[in-house]
Amino acid sequence: MSDRFARPLILFAAFAGSLVVGLTVVMWLLGGLASKPPAASIGSGSFKLIDQTGQTVTEKNMVGRPTIVFFGYTHCPDVCPTSLFEMSEVLRAMGPDAGRINAYFVTVDPERDTQETMKSYLSSFDPHLKGLTGDPAAIQKALSVFRVYAKKVPLKDGDYSMDHTALIYLMDRNGHFVSPFDLKRSAEAAAADLKRYL
């Protein structure tokens, strides 16, 4: 190869190499290459709560059967009751198989959502739904394990509401996070999807 062709190729290669290095450094500085928690880390960790009957529920209860988990609170005006109604419809559509999965409603408001409050509230929904609560530290641990955002928002009358993540988490039989569970479809379609994990 003549010098006339070799020199431009060398310059181009040097330019391309420095461009790649420069972009890598810039992305690293901006956090673009920072490690993000993998989806598998959602739900990975220990927690200990109680259901509306007083039974202890831990991460070990999620092993051996698929699980759907929703975080909310009983004073929620719309999103929570709607999601719980949709979960109830899916459980109804599952028929006898509804007893082969876990369906949990975990409070983000332990101050108001006592065991008795959860029991009364869930009496309006499918009996397979278990309401989980605990002291603030136990709830905070569960929020951390599932990477759930929850924040108290004061209201003018001295009361408060809760901002929170409103996803329904689908966990497989090994207790590993699969994906958010889509309820915006027919209950029969959602039930058929859930049965695939039995």
Side-chain angles (χ1 to χ4, degrees), residues 62 67-71 87 104 106 146 167-171:
M62 297 174 63
T67 302
I68 50 175
V69 187
F70 176 68
F71 288 80
M87 287 173 72
Y104 295 133
V106 185
F146 282 88
L167 293 176
I168 294 174
Y169 296 80
L170 172 61
M171 316 296 288

Side-chain angles (χ1 to χ4, degrees), residues 32 36 41 100 103 117 148 184:
K36 296 177 182 176
S41 70
R100 298 174 60 198
T117 300
V148 171
K184 303 306 177 189

